[in-house]
Structures are given as C-alpha cells and as structure tokens.
Amino acid sequence: MRKVGFIFWVLSFASSLYFSLELYDKGINLDTNFLTFISETQKYDSAKRAQELYESRNLQYAIITLSSKNKKNILNFTPILAKKFCESKSVNYCNWSSEGGSNLYSFYYPYRKYLISPGQLDYFEKTDKKIIIKKRLQEIYSPLAMTESSQLSSDPLGIMSSFFRSLLPVGGFMPDEGLLISNSGGAFHSLITLKFDMNRPGIEKEVSHLVVEAKKRLALAPEIKMNAVSGLLYFSEGAKQSTTEASTLGLLSLCLVMLLIVLVWRSALPLLATFLTVIFSSSVGFLFCYLVYSRIHIACLLMGIGLMGVVSDYCIHYFSHNTEGHYGLQKSTLRAIIKPFLLSLLTSIVGYAGFYFTGVIVLQQLAVFAVFGLLAAALTVFFLYPCLPKNRKPLTGVVVSFICGFSRFRTSMMSLSPVTGKLAVICLILGVGLLPKIRFDDDVRKLQKPNSELAKQERIIQDLTGVKRQSQYYLIEAESDQQLLQTEEHLSRLNDKRPNRAELSRLSSWIPSHSRQSLSRTGYNNLQGLVVDFYIRLGVENPKWQASRVYRENSTPKLNVKDWMNRFGHLPVADQYLGKSGKYFYSIVRVESGNFMRESELPNGVKIITRTKEVSKFFKELRSNVMLMILCLVVAALVLIALFTGYKMALEVCLAPCMGLVWSALMCFWIVGYLDLFHILGLVLVFFLSIDYSFFNSFSLPGQDDSVDIGIGVSVFTTIFSFGVLIFSQTAAIHHFGMSVLIGITVSYLFTVQRGAKF
Amino acid sequence: MFLSVVSSAKSNSSTSPPRPLLSVFKSVSGQFKQEKEIKRLKLTLKSYGRFEMAPGKLVWIQRAPIKGRYEVNQQEMRQTVEGQPEQVVSRQKVPELALLSDMMTCALSGDPKCLEKSFTTTEVQIKDRDNWTFTLKPKDKWIKRVLLAMKIKGGKKFVREISIIEKSGNTSVISFYNIRGR
C-alpha cells in the first residue's frame, strides 16, 4: 500500500513538474499591474466597465520621440527605427511619416469633443440672420482669413473656429521632409506613434523588448536620444522589478532556510523532503491556477510562493518527530502529528478557500493556488514521508539547544508568577484597546511607485507634444443617448460659468440634444437654414446638399448618437462615446486643465472618475471584508476548539495567534503610519501559521516537548526567512505584507508557550 | 519702398536664391483681384479692390463683394468693414495674425530678406527681366500650420501675382495691376 502511494506520488510529482516547466518555457502570462486587481467577474457595475473600456483604449498606444541637435541624424534614423517597430508582430498600427500625420488633430486630440455652448446658440438665436451672414462674409473675405476660409466646409459659421485656433499652438510636430518633426529647445525631434495588439500574451514584455532593441540600435548614434511612453512600458518595468525581487529574495530565503535545516538535522534528507514538498506544492498550485485563469498575477505568485512556508512547516514538524527511538515505527511518526497536521491543513484550506469569495481576481488566484498547493503537500506527507528513513540519532547541536532552551525560557517566564502568567492576556487586552487608534490608508498609488526613468521620459514627451496626461475626467451616465447629450450640455454650461474655465473637451457633434433643439427658437433646423442661406450668398453649388453634409444627416428625431459619430470617420469622436453598458449610456468628458469642478457642483449623472480613486475605494471595501474575515476566523476557531476541548484549551490555542494579529497590526501602524490591504493580508497568514504552531503545540502526542519545540522553532525561523525577506522589497505592497508577517509571527512565537505550562 | 527687379539673369531656371531686389519707390499703389478656391465646396471666392503700400504700412481696400478697409502697420492691425465700427488689434495680442500680415507685406514687397525670416526658397525661375517666379516654403512653425507653399511672380518692376497654397488644399491667387510707384 505504501509502495502504491509512493508510485502515485512520484507520477504526480513528475507530471506536475513537466507541465510547469513546459508552461514556463512557452512564456508565462504574468500580470503585474496592481490596478488590475478588480476583475470582470466580480460584482462590477456598468459604469466601471465603461470606464475600463475608455482606459484600455488609452493603454494600447505608445509615443516615441527621437531627439538630436543635428536634423540629419533624425532624418536618417527615424525611418530605420520606425520600420523596425512597424515590422513587429506586437504592433497593429504605426505612424511616423508626415502622410500618416496629415490630420494632426486626430493624433493630438483623438478624444476631444466639441459642444456648442449655450452662449453661442443664444447668439444665433437672438441675432438677425442677415447680420450673421454679413459678418461671416466679412470674416471670410478678409485678406488675413486663411484659417476661416479653410473651415468653410466643416464650420461654415465659424462656431468652432476659436476652438480650433486654441488647438493650434499645442504640439510642435509638423510634416517636414516626410516625417513629423518639431524644432524646439535647440534640438530637432521626430515622432513615432504605435498601437499594440493587446490580445498577444506577454505584450508588455514584447513592447519593452522593442524599446530596448531600438535603444541598442541608437548606440550607433549616441547624439540621438530616444524617449518612449506607454502604459505597457510601466507594466513591463513593474514586472521586471517584481521578478528581480522575487528571484533575489527567493534565493536569499532559500539559502537561509537550507542552512537552518542542515544545522538542525545535519542531514540532507529533511532538506530534500522540504525541497520536494515545496516544488510539488508550488508547481501543482501554479498549474491549477494557470489552468483556471490562463494568467497569474505577480502578487498571487509572491504570496503563493510565500504560502510554501506553511507547506515546508509540515515537513519540519514531521522530521522533528521522525527520530529513531521516539516512536519505533515510521508509521508512528505520522500518527504523532496526524491530529495537529489535519487541523492545520483543514484550517489553512478553509481559510485560503475563503479568499475565493472576495471577488478579487488576485485573491481568487491565490485561493486556487493555495488550496491545490496544500492538497499536494498533504499527498507528500501521506505518501512520500513514510517511505523516508528515520534519523538514527536524537537532534543535537547549537541551533537545537538554542531553540529548545529558548522555548523553555519562554515558558518558564510565563509560569514564573501569576502576574507574568497573565502578561500575555494583559498585553492582548491592551493591544485590543489600542486598535481603534489605527489609521488606514487605501491609496493604491502608494502600493507601486511608477518607474522614475519612464516618468521622466513621459514628462519630456508631454512637453514636446503638448499632450498632457489626463488628470481628471467625468463619466456621464444617462438612460438614453439624448439624455447623455443633455447632461453634457448641462455640464458645459456649468463649466462656462466658472471664473477659471477648465478646458472641457467638448462634443464635436454640432447637434444639441432634442430638448435643446425644441427649447431653442433657432434650434438645430434654424442653424442649418442659416448655413444654407450663407452658402447661397457665397455661391456654393447645391447649397442645401452641402449644408446637409454638416447638419442634416442627423435631423431625424430618433437620433442614434453612435451611428452619427461613426459616420464622421474623420472626427475620431466615437472613442469619447462609450455606448451602452448595462442599462445606461456612457460618455467621457475629459478635463485637461484649469481648476476642476467639485463633486458637489456636478449635475446628476456625472461622476468625477479617477481610476486610482476607484481602485482605492475598492481596496478599502476589500480590506474591511478581510478584517471581518479574520475576526470570524478567530471566533470560529475559538468556538470549535472550545466545543471539542473546552474553553480553556481554546483560549490557550488562540492566545498566541491573537497576540500576533493585534501587535503586528499596532507595530506596523507605528512604523508605517497607516495600515493597508497588504498589511491585513499578511495578518491572515499570521493567523494561519500561528494557529498551526498552537495546534502542533497542543495536539501532538504527549511526551515529545522537545520535538514539538524544535518543529515550531524551525518553522518560525523558516517563515521569518521566507516572509521576513519580503520586507526588503521595493514594492510597498510586498514590503507591507512581509512586515506584518514578520512581526506577527515573531510575536505569536514568543507567546506560544509549552503545553501544560501554568499561567 | 516698393521693389523692382534688377536681375538680368539669363538662365531659364535656377535653384540658387534670387538676387536682391532694389527699392526704387517710396510708396506704391494699385489694384488687386483675389481668387480663393475652396476645394471641398467647389467654390471660388472672388474679391477686388485697391492697395496702398508705404514703408511699414499696408492698406488693403476691398471694394467687392464686401466693402472694407484693412490696415497693417508696425504696431497694430485696423479693420473697418461697412456698417461695422472700426476694430483695432494689437500685434502683441494676436502674434499669429501679425505674422500672416507680415508675410503678405513681405510677399508684396518681394523683399527676399524680409521673406527669409519665415520662408525658405525652394525654386527660382527667371526667364527674363520681366518674368520671374520664386517658390517658397514656410519655415516658421506658425505659418507652417496654415500654408504649404507660396509662389511669387514678378515683372520688370513689380510683383504681379502671389499664389498661396494652404494646408487645407485651398488656394488663393492675388493678382496686381495698374500699379504705380511714387
């Protein structure tokens, strides 16, 4: 039977390892963006989906500039580099020549909208038609009216001319010798724009590789400087940093854990067993996670690999009891730890499975990873460990003596007097009393700082192109597309009244909403009639038809805004209109400068949207849920243990984990100044690990105090080595996670006193 | 300060810069005809009138189809259109407009030095003393946004025609006649 189990284990191990390596070889789809924490599958309202749609459009672009004092360099190198970019399979569309940039408006303002302001409509409504036409004719015939006459076909009444004039000074790139070139700051700059195929797996890596390759080519001409900006580059840099950290810190922790195990057992066997357990668990966890989600988030990977600390503890507890003379038969070793092991396994599986119901994609991935990883570890404990030989000699050495000695000292200190015995309880009560002082901060921007070099390049490109990164935008929600227009009009009207007028990007449609048309005496038809008269006066052939190209196409009472916008292919306004999502229609109005409107100033149906704010709000909600979950876990553990073993035992088992939770939270708050979701996630792990120590401490077979002490002591140190090193991470989220685990585990270890201690 | 051509070049065409034109008059006046073709509307806008030019000053008096007077000097631009009060625009306030008006003044004067500030000469054709053309491309980034190229045709003494090709595809041809210098 043991042989069958062993063969089953070997086959499972080999196949999981093979498939994991195969997957790694093909390239893992690693998600590194902390903003993607929110999943499509979770309870997610349509406004957020509309918003994501808008943002995903922005994400797929990259702007690249080449700069040199020598124009010839720019003229020579831009086509070479641009062609290389365009050849890449990850690039769907590229533009670098002046031909492609002939409509510069569409490049600079792909999302700009124009809305006739109420003031303008009022003017056309109240002013005599003849005067309007005469004045317009005077403007057109002015010897300096070059721009006015060029807009005769698209803006006959000059309604938008001031709007377009205001666009002109922005962005210095103009067609020059076949390229888009700007001459500013004493240097020449060329422009390349790329659009990526977002469906390609590992697109972030490919984009980063493209830029690196381009920079290598430019090494031939050191006087040329390249700047590139794209959301994908930020993600790629984030991934690089995270994977570098993961490999460095992982290696460091592995070395420390190995050293500890070798020093305690002076044998390669526990080390090998731990190694095999961790490899098997992590590959099974990874495979199942990838099977379900087709991608894996870096945070899940880091926390999932961290979970392997729990798994390696099983091996440590097993081997601390697996000494010749202790139990005689190897089977007995398993029997000695079976109760705490199963309790530990069950609580860990149930606890981690709970993450699945949070609705957060990363935590769902972690749940799948952990549950399958823990099951694989259980298989190893049951089928592999019993086949391994026992230690022939009892465990000795400096490390063992230190762990056992420290454990005894700890217990004796607690048992010294009734006062010291109550110390843990007093500390716990004190800590709980201080908990309300803790301040939380869920600002997602603090979790992952953008790469400074990329941010610098982005600033340079912003200065060159004049295209600022959006700082705020309004999401407009309405029950119909007509209502959508009305709300935009309302918003525009409010904005016009502001002393420092924020530059709202306006709807390029000429069409006021139907309600505005009916309210206005001039309205839509009058405006159009005015253009027909104006065209007649100018002598335009087929004036009605010409005018209808601008206005009449949309005069149907049942106007579909999206259809209308699609007809105007040269005005890329469709992007601004997000269409219907769920019950509602959405559009985005961007604020580019000026002082922004406050939430209270906005009309109904308009929300100020910032992605980070939304995610922060979501994190806050999630953190509250996880905190509630921890509380439920503690209460559930207390009740269950009390039911089977009495309340005293329940209190004894739960004391150390509670101390770890409370004091880790307090100390992290004192160190960082606030707590965030990742501190709290660390606390979840603290609870699971420390309750395991209590289980092994309280439910192992009696008479094996040293084995239990060694098991717990080594587990604590391996956990500290595995998670404590995360404190060195540059990513705040990971750093906070490591910090809360490190403090929590240390505190709970100090208060995990030997069984039978009187206090 | 109207200029005359003193070039006696024999070549039919050349890519070298035009030879400097010499000022022989203190002021010049004449008539103009402007034809502006609006491509997308298949429309030609015609206007007629007179112009007067003196050092640092250009007056454009439009007779038809709208009566108006436009005056550009070194400080400001003044516009008087029938039935409307006079409008005065300071050069500092609208630098783009000032640039365009300077461009017109330079083109009309045919002064290469003045044109070189904002244009690059791309082609020069000198058939004889009475028939020369040079083609210019804007180098000033403001003008570049509006214009693709400009052609100036001239005769023995005066500029005869200015053609402007706009970025929008529209073209303007301004012809000058009955020119008198004093």
Side-chain angles (χ1 to χ4, degrees), chain A residues 355-409:
Chain A
F355 279 128
Y356 191 83
F357 302 101
T358 56
V360 184
I361 191 86
V362 178
L363 297 183
Q364 284 179 331
Q365 286 182 3
L366 179 65
V368 174
F369 189 103
V371 169
F372 285 97
L374 285 165
L375 288 174
L379 279 182
T380 315
V381 172
F382 286 119
F383 297 136
L384 175 71
Y385 292 177
C387 302
L388 301 174
K390 276 180 173 290
N391 281 336
R392 293 200 179 275
K393 291 175 190 171
L395 300 178
T396 52
V398 182
V399 180
V400 173
S401 307
F402 172 76
I403 290 171
C404 293
F406 184 74
S407 185
R408 278 186 214 113
F409 169 74

Side-chain angles (χ1 to χ4, degrees), chain B residues 4-16:
Chain B
S4 67
V5 177
V6 291
S7 168
S8 56
K10 289 171 188 172
S11 60
N12 285 341
S13 71
S14 159
T15 50
S16 60

Side-chain angles (χ1 to χ4, degrees), chain B residues 4-179:
Chain B
S4 67
V5 177
V6 291
S7 168
S8 56
K10 289 171 188 172
S11 60
N12 285 341
S13 71
S14 159
T15 50
S16 60
R19 290 177 65 177
L21 305 170
L22 186 69
S23 167
V24 289
F25 301 111
K26 281 183 179 173
S27 69
V28 173
S29 61
Q31 288 175 302
F32 72 85
K33 183 180 92 180
Q34 179 175 295
E35 289 189 1
K36 187 176 272 191
E37 228 174 276
I38 312 293
K39 213 176 166 186
R40 286 185 77 173
L41 291 175
K42 293 177 187 169
L43 175 74
T44 308
L45 299 174
K46 293 178 186 174
S47 55
Y48 313 90
R50 284 178 46 74
F51 72 89
E52 285 169 15
M53 204 176 176
K57 185 179 168 187
L58 171 67
V59 183
W60 201 258
I61 305 153
Q62 196 169 277
R63 300 237 185 263
I66 304 284
K67 281 186 180 171
R69 187 176 190 275
Y70 308 89
E71 186 185 321
V72 182
N73 60 40
Q74 281 162 353
Q75 286 83 39
E76 61 201 10
M77 286 159 283
R78 291 168 174 274
Q79 176 174 303
T80 321
V81 188
E82 56 173 285
Q84 299 284 319
E86 187 185 43
Q87 281 184 317
V88 183
V89 184
S90 143
R91 291 175 73 96
Q92 281 88 10
K93 270 193 176 176
V94 195
E96 316 94 88
L97 211 60
L99 254 167
L100 289 174
S101 64
D102 282 352
M103 180 197 86
M104 282 298 290
T105 318
C106 290
L108 202 56
S109 67
D111 181 355
K113 274 188 186 171
C114 179
L115 284 165
E116 269 168 20
K117 285 181 203 165
S118 315
F119 290 90
T120 314
T121 311
T122 54
E123 199 183 343
V124 178
Q125 287 183 321
I126 303 170
K127 289 183 181 171
D128 54 54
R129 254 175 98 89
D130 287 343
N131 195 347
W132 53 266
T133 305
F134 51 95
T135 309
L136 306 154
K137 261 196 163 180
K139 63 180 178 188
D140 180 277
K141 67 176 179 180
W142 298 89
I143 299 176
K144 263 184 187 178
R145 292 176 204 279
V146 188
L147 296 193
L148 271 186
M150 182 162 72
K151 262 186 189 180
I152 303 177
K153 283 184 188 174
K156 192 175 178 179
K157 288 181 179 174
F158 310 114
V159 168
R160 281 180 189 155
E161 189 181 288
I162 299 172
S163 307
I164 296 165
I165 304 158
E166 293 173 24
K167 270 194 74 188
S168 58
N170 297 339
T171 53
S172 296
V173 179
I174 311 167
S175 313
F176 305 97
Y177 52 97
N178 293 338
I179 305 164

